[in-house]
C-alpha cells in the first residue's frame, strides 16, 4: 500500500508551497480516507480563483469539484488623475480606472470638489476618460469610484493652466539700439 499524493491547485496551477494539513485514515487493508485542508491566512485579491484538490495513487488521479474564492470590497484604483500642465483654453483628457470586485464600478469626476457628472452618464463607467474642452484657471481633479460595497476617492491631479504663446507678434518700431514689439494674448 502506497500513500496518496495530495496537491491543491488554483486556476489549474499547482500550489507547491501551500499551507496544508493532511490526514490519512485506514478503514481496512485496501481502503483509506484522505482528508486535506488548505489554509489561506489573510486572504488577498491575488488569492481569488477556483480551487480543487488532486489525489494521485496507484497510477490514477482523482480531482475534486472546484470551490471558488471571490473577494468583494471598495473599489481600488489602477489609474488616477495625474498632474498636468495645459495651455489656457486648450482641450485635454484625464483618465481614471477603478476596479472591484464587485463590478461594475462607476466614476464621478470632481473638479475642485464639485461633481462634473452623474453615475448614469456613459462617462461614469470605469475605465473613464474625462474630456475637458479648456480651462482658464488651475484646477484640481479627482474621481470617486462607486460599487455596491461603497465609495473610494482617488488622489487629486492638479491641472496647471499656463499662458498660451503670444499671437500675432509684430514689430512696432526699431532704432539702432532698440526694437518695439507687440503681440496679442489669448489668456
Amino acid at each position: 500500500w502506497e500513500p496518496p499524493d495530495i496537491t491543491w491547485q488554483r486556476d489549474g496551477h499547482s500550489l507547491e508551497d501551500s499551507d496544508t494539513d493532511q490526514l490519512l485514515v485506514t478503514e481496512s487493508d485496501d481502503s483509506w480516507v484522505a482528508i486535506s485542508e488548505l489554509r489561506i491566512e489573510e486572504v488577498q485579491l491575488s488569492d481569488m480563483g477556483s480551487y480543487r484538490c488532486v489525489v494521485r495513487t496507484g497510477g490514477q488521479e482523482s480531482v475534486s469539484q472546484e470551490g471558488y474564492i471571490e473577494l468583494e470590497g471598495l473599489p481600488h484604483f489602477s489609474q488616477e488623475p495625474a498632474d498636468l500642465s495645459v495651455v489656457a483654453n486648450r482641450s485635454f483628457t484625464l483618465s481614471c480606472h477603478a476596479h472591484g470586485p464587485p463590478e461594475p464600478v462607476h466614476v464621478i469626476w470632481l473638479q475642485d470638489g464639485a461633481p462634473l457628472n452623474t453615475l448614469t452618464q456613459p462617462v461614469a463607467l470605469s475605465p473613464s476618460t474625462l474630456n475637458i474642452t479648456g480651462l482658464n484657471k488651475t484646477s484640481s481633479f479627482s474621481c470617486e469610484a462607486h460599487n455596491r460595497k461603497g465609495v473610494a476617492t482617488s488622489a487629486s491631479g492638479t491641472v496647471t493652466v499656463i499662458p498660451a504663446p503670444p499671437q500675432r507678434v509684430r514689430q512696432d518700431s526699431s532704432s539702432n539700439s532698440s526694437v518695439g514689439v507687440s503681440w496679442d494674448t489669448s489668456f
Side-chain angles (χ1 to χ4, degrees):
W1 181 82
E2 184 179 317
D5 176 35
I6 303 172
T7 58
W8 284 87
Q9 294 180 343
R10 180 181 64 231
D11 298 328
H13 302 290
S14 288
L15 298 173
E16 301 296 336
D17 299 323
S18 58
D19 184 4
T20 61
D21 286 331
Q22 297 183 2
L23 177 65
L24 291 174
V25 179
T26 304
E27 291 188 322
S28 66
D29 288 342
D30 61 351
S31 121
W32 43 263
V33 173
I35 300 170
S36 180
E37 180 181 281
L38 174 65
R39 189 175 14 268
I40 302 173
E41 302 278 336
E42 299 181 22
V43 177
Q44 303 174 40
L45 285 173
S46 60
D47 294 317
M48 286 183 22
S50 64
Y51 287 79
R52 63 184 182 179
C53 180
V54 179
V55 179
R56 292 177 189 88
T57 185
Q60 294 186 335
E61 180 177 281
S62 296
V63 179
S64 70
Q65 289 185 347
E66 290 184 330
Y68 298 91
I69 293 180
E70 290 186 9
L71 300 177
E72 292 189 346
L74 295 178
H76 60 281
F77 295 93
S78 61
Q79 186 174 17
E80 301 176 86
D83 291 343
L84 191 62
S85 293
V86 298
V87 173
N89 301 313
R90 298 264 172 89
S91 297
F92 63 94
T93 61
L94 295 170
S95 295
C96 183
H97 195 171
H99 312 268
E103 303 287 347
V105 175
H106 290 90
V107 170
I108 290 183
W109 283 94
L110 304 170
Q111 179 181 356
D112 298 326
L116 298 176
N117 64 291
T118 66
L119 290 174
T120 58
Q121 292 174 301
V123 73
L125 190 59
S126 181
S128 177
T129 300
L130 181 66
N131 297 305
I132 301 290
T133 55
L135 283 179
N136 58 15
K137 70 178 184 79
T138 295
S139 296
S140 174
F141 290 85
S142 61
C143 49
E144 289 181 344
H146 297 246
N147 68 10
R148 71 174 187 263
K149 292 293 182 179
V151 181
T153 303
S154 74
S156 291
T158 300
V159 177
T160 303
V161 176
I162 57 176
Q167 303 291 316
R168 294 185 286 285
V169 178
R170 311 175 282 288
Q171 177 181 339
D172 293 334
S173 61
S174 67
S175 69
N176 289 339
S177 60
S178 67
V179 173
V181 178
S182 64
W183 61 86
D184 297 333
T185 62
S186 59
F187 188 52

